[in-house]
Amino acid sequence: MKIHTTSKFKPVLGRISKFDRGIGSVERLREPSSLEPYERYRPQIKTGDVIAFSGNEGFSKLIRWATGSMFSHVGIVLNSNLSGELGGSVLIVESTVETRVRDATNSDVIKGVQLHWLSKRILMYDGGVWWVPLKQPLPPDGLAKMQSWLRQTNNQRVRYDYVQVMGAGLDMFEGLGISNRTSLSMLFCSELVTKALQTAGVVDSALNPSEQTPNDVVEFSCFDAGLPLKYA
């Protein structure tokens, strides 16, 4: 299957190549512990930005094959303004099948919606990671609605949707006139992110969240080109 390298991410791939030819070749020797790209961009990362992943493990490879994309997963940023030394903390809400670590609330995780520290997620991830920033910050009312919906969804421990994730990715189903119906009782990654952005009012509410892939999400018009946080 042909892998999509979209025009939006061509500049990103160019930055990676340039980075590798210089300082980046040194940085790669220190992975997976290096968080320097993340620390550089961290002050600019805001609620509603997307984090895109390109995984090397089996299920991630399956998603990449099914969607014909370099991206296997997406999550959405949820900043938490904590007092004390931590200051503003960057969290990510995602729906994933990974259950190896406890979440940011120190709770056992399910295969489904989870809340994690972004820095820890980057360090532990086997693959490439990109920050995909919103062109404009979310409007205050949309921000509040989205934050509330994400926290509620996480608290409800919504399970991962294995069935619809494949239906969203396989174009051959569309050729047969088969498509996913909108259903949010379970959520896969890009379905969660799409619905969150619709709740915030920056993605068309008529769009079917259950038909969106990780690649579809990073191509939403509300986003700028992505920037690399970690190399595969």
Side-chain angles (χ1 to χ4, degrees):
M1 178 176 288
K2 184 178 180 181
I3 302 298
H4 300 305
T5 52
T6 61
S7 58
K8 179 179 284 189
F9 272 79
K10 286 179 182 177
V12 181
L13 298 174
R15 289 191 191 103
I16 292 173
S17 299
K18 182 177 180 181
F19 199 76
D20 285 342
R21 288 196 294 270
I23 258 177
S25 59
V26 177
E27 297 301 334
R28 290 179 69 120
L29 296 176
R30 304 211 310 248
E31 286 194 333
S33 62
S34 176
L35 279 173
E36 289 189 22
Y38 166 72
E39 293 296 345
R40 185 184 318 128
Y41 296 125
R42 183 181 181 277
Q44 305 170 56
I45 298 175
K46 58 191 177 296
T47 297
D49 289 348
V50 158
I51 306 299
F53 300 82
S54 182
N56 296 323
E57 297 184 349
F59 189 66
S60 296
K61 289 181 177 179
L62 177 62
I63 297 298
R64 287 165 57 190
W65 171 82
T67 61
S69 168
M70 63 184 285
F71 302 111
S72 57
H73 181 63
V74 286
I76 191 164
V77 171
L78 179 67
N79 285 356
S80 178
N81 295 319
L82 303 176
S83 58
E85 295 181 0
L86 285 176
S89 300
V90 182
L91 299 164
I92 180 174
V93 184
E94 57 186 330
S95 185
T96 176
V97 298
E98 295 186 23
T99 58
R100 289 174 291 183
V101 295
R102 289 176 176 268
D103 70 6
T105 63
N106 203 33
S107 301
D108 290 329
V109 296
I110 61 167
K111 292 182 179 180
V113 179
Q114 302 175 19
L115 179 68
H116 290 283
W117 305 110
L118 178 54
S119 57
K120 186 174 182 180
R121 190 73 170 92
I122 293 169
L123 280 175
M124 298 193 67
Y125 190 72
D126 181 12
V129 184
W130 287 262
W131 165 47
V132 188
L134 286 163
K135 292 177 180 177
Q136 299 293 333
L138 297 175
D141 58 335
L143 174 63
K145 289 177 181 177
M146 190 189 79
Q147 287 174 321
S148 176
W149 184 81
L150 285 172
R151 292 188 183 279
Q152 180 183 22
T153 303
N154 180 65
N155 291 339
Q156 290 174 343
R157 298 172 66 83
V158 175
R159 298 280 176 174
Y160 191 86
D161 194 337
Y162 287 94
V163 175
Q164 296 221 100
V165 67
M166 299 310 296
L170 290 173
D171 292 338
M172 62 184 179
F173 286 165
E174 294 182 8
L176 297 173
I178 302 171
S179 60
N180 286 337
R181 294 182 178 179
T182 301
S183 174
L184 305 177
S185 59
M186 293 187 289
L187 295 165
F188 58 89
C189 66
S190 43
E191 188 177 28
L192 168 75
V193 173
T194 301
K195 181 59 181 177
L197 294 168
Q198 288 176 326
T199 302
V202 294
V203 167
D204 187 355
S205 61
L207 200 65
N208 182 357
S210 303
E211 278 290 309
Q212 307 310 305
T213 68
N215 193 75
D216 292 331
V217 168
V218 301
E219 285 296 305
F220 286 160
S221 62
C222 57
F223 291 118
D224 270 329
L227 295 164
L229 299 178
K230 184 178 182 179
Y231 301 95

